[in-house]
Amino acid sequence: SPRRAAMWAEAEPEPEVWRGSGGGWGGGEGGEFDDCPPEHRREVAETIHELDCRDPGDLGGFGDLRAWLAQFQRVGGFSREASLKLCEVMTRCLVAPRDAHAQPSRQELQQAFVRMRGLQQTVHALLLRLSEPSVVAACARLLCAAVEGAPFSAEL
């Protein structure tokens, strides 16, 4: 959100790497953001920072899944690293063991993922990054997580 981004910008000064010039992240060659267009580097970095700062014990729910899918659609095409992180967090949300009476249940999350067009977005990201084995593997894990143990989700 813009408010959260403003708070983050106040808390931490802009790193040198964002001010660099040249082909890669921070002006050098290579790096984890070398595939990201310069005009989208800040947005991608903020997305990754937000995911990295997330509490590992927080599995996520419907709202989180919806937000991650929106981010996946927005920045997944800009950055390999963003695609990997978003696939990882969504996979963890979908496969995490939950209590029998926990809400939402695993099957409810899987069905919501399908209804939110998560399968289509994942296949699109997979095809977009077909030459990058790590992203293809992360997308395949996410697709498996979406239908594992939920035959109704697979039918949707």
Side-chain angles (χ1 to χ4, degrees), residues 14-28 38 41:
E14 185 176 76
E16 280 296 318
V17 293
W18 288 343
R19 290 190 227 130
S21 60
W25 181 252
R41 286 183 182 157

Side-chain angles (χ1 to χ4, degrees), residues 35 80 124-137 139:
D35 62 335
R80 170 183 54 251
H124 178 74
L126 185 146
L127 294 174
L128 189 66
R129 300 239 172 223
L130 201 53
S131 63
E132 297 172 11
S134 59
V135 176
V136 171
C139 287

Side-chain angles (χ1 to χ4, degrees), residues 2-119:
R3 188 173 134 214
R4 190 178 315 159
M7 289 176 13
W8 183 54
E10 289 174 11
E12 297 179 25
E14 185 176 76
E16 280 296 318
V17 293
W18 288 343
R19 290 190 227 130
S21 60
W25 181 252
E29 292 300 318
E32 60 185 13
F33 295 98
D34 60 342
D35 62 335
C36 185
E39 62 272 13
H40 297 289
R41 286 183 182 157
R42 184 176 199 75
E43 178 183 6
V44 168
E46 287 172 356
T47 298
I48 291 172
H49 176 74
E50 188 176 298
L51 293 172
D52 285 342
C53 290
R54 187 171 176 80
D55 178 19
D58 184 8
L59 301 176
F62 295 124
D64 295 315
L65 198 55
R66 185 177 296 112
W68 294 329
L69 282 169
Q71 288 176 323
F72 193 45
Q73 185 175 14
R74 172 75 182 139
V75 300
F78 297 144
S79 167
R80 170 183 54 251
E81 186 67 22
S83 295
L84 288 171
K85 295 276 186 183
L86 286 162
C87 281
E88 176 187 316
V89 74
M90 287 188 286
T91 300
R92 187 173 54 232
C93 175
L94 293 174
V95 300
R98 296 173 187 265
D99 293 335
H101 302 290
Q103 290 296 326
S105 71
R106 183 174 163 193
Q107 282 193 334
E108 290 171 335
L109 283 168
Q110 290 170 321
Q111 291 170 5
F113 182 79
V114 172
R115 285 192 304 269
M116 291 179 205
R117 305 183 58 82
L119 293 177

